[in-house]
Amino acid sequence: MNLHHHRQRFPRILFLSITLTTLCSLQFPIPTAAGKDRVPTPPLPVLPLPSFSQLKWQQRELIMFLHFGVNTFTDSEWGTGHESPSIFDPAGLNAAQWVSTAAAAGVSLVILTAKHHDGFCLWPSKYTDHSVASSPWKGGRGDVIRELAGAAEAHGGVDVGLYLSPWDRHDRRYGKNLEYNEYYMAQLQELLTKYGDVREIWFDGAKGSNAPNMSYDFADWFAMVKELQSSINLFSDAGPDVRWVGNEKGFAGTTSWSTINRTALSIGNDSIVDYLNTGDPRGTDWLPAECDVSIRTGWFWHKSQSPKKLSDLLEIYYNSVGRNCLLLLNVPPNTTGLISDSDVRRLRELRTAIDTIFTTNLAAECPAKASSIRGGKGGGFGPENVLDKDHLWTYWAPSDRELGHGHYWIEITCGGPVKFNVVRVQEAIGLGQRIKRHEIYVDGDKIANGTTVGYKRLHRLEKGVVGGRRVRVKVLESRGVPLVSSFGLHYDPYWHSKWQ
Ligand SMILES: *[C@@H]1O[C@H](CO)[C@@H](O)[C@H](O)[C@H]1NC(C)=O
Ligand SMILES: *[C@@H]1O[C@H](CO)[C@@H](O)[C@H](O)[C@H]1NC(C)=O
Ligand SMILES: *[C@@H]1O[C@H](CO)[C@@H](O)[C@H](O)[C@H]1NC(C)=O
Ligand SMILES: *[C@@H]1O[C@H](CO)[C@@H](O)[C@H](O)[C@H]1NC(C)=O
Ligand SMILES: *[C@@H]1O[C@H](CO)[C@@H](O)[C@H](O)[C@H]1NC(C)=O
């Protein structure tokens, strides 16, 4: 049956390929034997793959949280729900300052707490009077979300995300399943139809232990969000687009898979934090981790607190962005309605530090070679691809014949000795996350090793600065053949290793 079928189709395929070959050689004469003159294709992907929106999200690297609301005025973290709207009066609120602070820090997405657990709404919701409409700010005619959306649009390059707390300590419908789910969805509908594009929405799993029982209709919420904003990313402990990293320190696991089994996840479940932290090499869902942490001790602004030291923020950066995670850094506006000068300054220092370390790739001009090349030299998958500016779609791919031998490597050889203390490796995650174990060698000596790589892995060398000419990345284990999209050697002047 199959053979018959095959024979019938064969001439047509042959004809097609002759036609294509003729056409190709007319326009681009390639002096190789017939049958070998096609451009090699990329290897098959290793599933699951990121969606287009997830890929764009991952490339943001650093995004910003804005915790703001009645807690800002009561010096608390979790409001009781009994706060009077009369306390909300950020007389100098200027969302343009939030947006320009974010942009100067290299942040392309800011996420605002539209409603925190206290139930106070930063926009004039039609469905409650517990909002800015009952506050003295702007005579009750203000709308913080409109201010933010307007400022972001006017600035350009900074997108808006929103946080809407499921747990609500103010609204009387909370605890009545039908009524509260209807209320929550009505508010989602307001937030996702009135303010233009919203790129991420945050569903917080936090809930007090004495809170009334409440069963959230997550499936309905998620479906409505996607219907209203199809390219949005939904964040929760359990996705469906972006997952929590399992802690509020801003640290991903040293092993950090963007893949996980969604069926094993639930929202507000303490027993899954370790699984969330590392992900799962056999996971059936692409659900990358977001690392949330505050620039200060608390999430809301408190007069008594000040921003973390630059060295702590850099440690967070290496342990989040440098471990295949996105960093969601909280920067809380103060009671004036502005981001405090000390935080603005610290963010600027952080951006300067990141640029100082990573703008120069000390390996950029060093010739690269590899254990093998898919399709041979000139086929488009050579090791030189790891030194170009594209960190997603140009990459080194080894030959399929290497599969299973475990001897994949890529090596750069510089003209003279190079001094560095950071090694950067990136995978072509558009075709799946693959690397399970890798090692880095300098002139034959092992200087770093680890498990996963993912979108970005940064090794800040424990031993401090090393010098050498030949640097090799060896991949010991991977799902399918490894695909390395970028490689860099960097010098971090802020890193004072305990060995130095
Ligand atoms: C919530 O439900 C559980 C189990 O149904 C019950 O044991 C508990 O007392 C309830 N809590 C409240 C605050 O109603
Ligand atoms: C918490 O997660 C574990 C592991 O997936 C699961 O067995 C348990 O049922 C979950 N608990 C709740 C309350 O969803
Ligand atoms: C995740 O799902 C895959 C496929 O069903 C399975 O092989 C793997 O064991 C699961 N992971 C865990 C931790 O259960
Ligand atoms: C809030 O920050 C701004 C600087 O951006 C500052 O001028 C103002 O005094 C601060 N307000 C308070 C209450 O600290
Ligand atoms: C890294 O190397 C050390 C020392 O050789 C070893 O103990 C450790 O298991 C290695 N880690 C990985 C992830 O391979």
Side-chain angles (χ1 to χ4, degrees):
M1 206 43 189
N2 273 338
L3 196 63
H4 180 65
H5 184 72
H6 189 84
R7 269 203 199 125
Q8 269 198 327
R9 295 190 64 99
F10 186 62
R12 226 188 302 169
I13 289 169
L14 190 66
F15 172 72
L16 192 72
S17 88
I18 289 168
T19 315
L20 277 174
T21 312
T22 316
L23 274 174
C24 286
S25 49
L26 275 177
Q27 290 192 303
F28 320 100
I30 301 169
T32 44
K36 285 194 178 174
D37 53 355
R38 283 180 212 97
V39 172
T41 58
L44 288 176
V46 172
L47 302 182
L49 301 184
S51 70
F52 183 71
S53 298
Q54 287 171 321
L55 269 183
K56 290 205 27 171
W57 170 90
Q58 189 89 50
Q59 288 176 287
R60 295 180 188 274
E61 299 196 357
L62 175 62
I63 63 176
M64 206 162 104
F65 227 159
L66 296 163
H67 272 68
F68 187 56
V70 285
N71 296 339
T72 311
F73 297 86
T74 58
D75 202 22
S76 55
E77 285 286 301
W78 277 9
T80 60
H82 299 299
E83 295 81 10
S84 164
S86 68
I87 63 173
F88 185 83
D89 194 11
L93 188 145
N94 178 8
Q97 189 247 12
W98 306 351
V99 170
S100 60
T101 300
V107 163
S108 63
L109 172 68
V110 294
I111 302 178
L112 173 66
T113 52
K115 178 184 91 168
H116 204 251
H117 312 323
D118 51 73
F120 181 78
C121 300
L122 295 186
W123 81 104
S125 172
K126 232 198 294 186
Y127 307 104
T128 180
D129 55 9
H130 197 55
S131 78
V132 284
S134 307
S135 80
W137 178 58
K138 294 201 163 182
R141 282 183 300 277
D143 180 339
V144 186
I145 302 184
R146 180 148 325 277
E147 303 262 340
L148 176 62
E153 192 177 353
H155 190 284
V158 176
D159 294 325
V160 172
L162 296 172
Y163 167 114
L164 185 69
S165 172
W167 181 33
D168 188 321
R169 305 182 81 177
H170 176 84
D171 200 87
R172 288 172 174 216
R173 283 161 283 201
Y174 194 84
K176 299 185 188 117
N177 286 343
L178 176 63
E179 282 96 323
Y180 186 73
N181 276 295
E182 286 176 346
Y183 174 60
Y184 193 90
M185 288 185 74
Q187 294 206 315
L188 276 179
Q189 204 176 41
E190 288 184 311
L191 294 176
L192 300 178
T193 55
K194 288 175 55 180
Y195 301 100
D197 289 336
V198 177
R199 295 300 180 192
E200 181 166 336
I201 184 147
W202 238 77
F203 297 104
D204 191 344
K207 183 176 171 178
S209 47
N210 295 324
N213 283 330
M214 177 68 221
S215 135
Y216 303 130
D217 293 346
F218 284 120
D220 289 359
W221 298 2
F222 294 174
M224 172 180 269
V225 169
K226 279 280 154 117
E227 192 195 333
L228 297 176
Q229 300 259 351
S230 57
S231 62
I232 199 170
N233 283 308
L234 288 90
F235 170 101
S236 83
D237 293 0
D241 299 312
V242 181
R243 74 175 198 260
W244 185 42
V245 77
N247 64 60
E248 292 185 343
K249 293 188 301 203
F251 286 11
T254 50
T255 293
S256 179
W257 290 96
S258 292
T259 51
I260 203 162
N261 290 337
R262 270 193 69 201
T263 51
L265 305 180
S266 42
I267 298 176
N269 185 340
D270 285 341
S271 71
I272 58 170
V273 291
D274 293 336
Y275 188 57
L276 287 173
N277 197 239
T278 59
D280 185 344
R282 288 203 293 253
T284 52
D285 303 282
W286 189 273
L287 194 53
E290 188 168 283
C291 292
D292 57 321
V293 66
S294 185
I295 195 167
R296 291 158 169 245
T297 315
W299 292 97
F300 286 87
W301 179 82
H302 305 284
K303 199 179 177 54
S304 60
Q305 296 180 357
S306 48
K308 291 180 165 74
K309 290 186 297 191
L310 177 63
S311 57
D312 292 337
L313 292 177
L314 280 171
E315 174 86 0
I316 288 169
Y317 181 85
Y318 280 103
N319 289 341
S320 54
V321 176
R323 291 180 181 172
N324 188 36
C325 201
L326 199 80
L327 174 53
L328 171 58
L329 183 62
N330 178 64
V331 185
N334 63 23
T335 49
T336 309
L338 295 170
I339 296 173
S340 301
D341 286 331
S342 54
D343 304 57
V344 173
R345 272 199 307 274
R346 193 52 43 81
L347 279 171
R348 213 176 283 144
E349 284 169 22
L350 176 63
R351 175 44 53 188
T352 301
I354 294 170
D355 290 345
T356 302
I357 302 163
F358 295 104
T359 302
T360 304
N361 180 359
L362 300 165
E365 305 300 327
C366 307
K369 57 183 186 172
S371 48
S372 71
I373 301 173
R374 182 179 182 83
K377 271 194 183 161
F381 297 102
E384 66 281 0
N385 289 342
V386 305
L387 299 173
D388 69 16
K389 298 270 182 245
D390 185 320
H391 297 173
L392 271 184
W393 297 111
T394 71
Y395 48 87
W396 161 65
S399 150
D400 278 338
R401 280 192 300 279
E402 264 202 272
L403 190 59
H405 295 280
H407 291 130
Y408 310 103
W409 55 261
I410 182 165
E411 184 175 272
I412 57 114
T413 309
C414 302
V418 179
K419 286 189 153 193
F420 59 93
N421 54 7
V422 175
V423 180
R424 176 176 52 83
V425 189
Q426 300 189 235
E427 278 187 82
I429 58 166
L431 291 169
Q433 188 179 345
R434 297 160 179 252
I435 297 175
K436 287 180 162 177
R437 212 151 61 81
H438 67 287
E439 295 175 336
I440 317 280
Y441 291 81
V442 176
D443 295 337
D445 293 332
K446 187 161 94 178
I447 53 154
N449 65 337
T451 53
T452 49
V453 170
Y455 174 67
K456 185 176 277 190
R457 180 68 191 254
L458 300 173
H459 290 283
R460 188 159 61 160
L461 302 180
E462 271 299 313
K463 290 203 163 74
V465 177
V466 302
R469 285 187 60 223
R470 256 186 324 118
V471 184
R472 176 178 288 210
V473 180
K474 201 161 149 186
V475 177
L476 300 138
E477 266 183 83
S478 64
R479 301 168 67 227
V481 292
L483 306 176
V484 177
S485 62
S486 190
F487 171 78
L489 299 178
H490 304 276
Y491 175 65
D492 176 349
Y494 306 84
W495 175 229
H496 299 293
S497 149
K498 55 181 181 251
W499 297 74
Q500 281 176 323

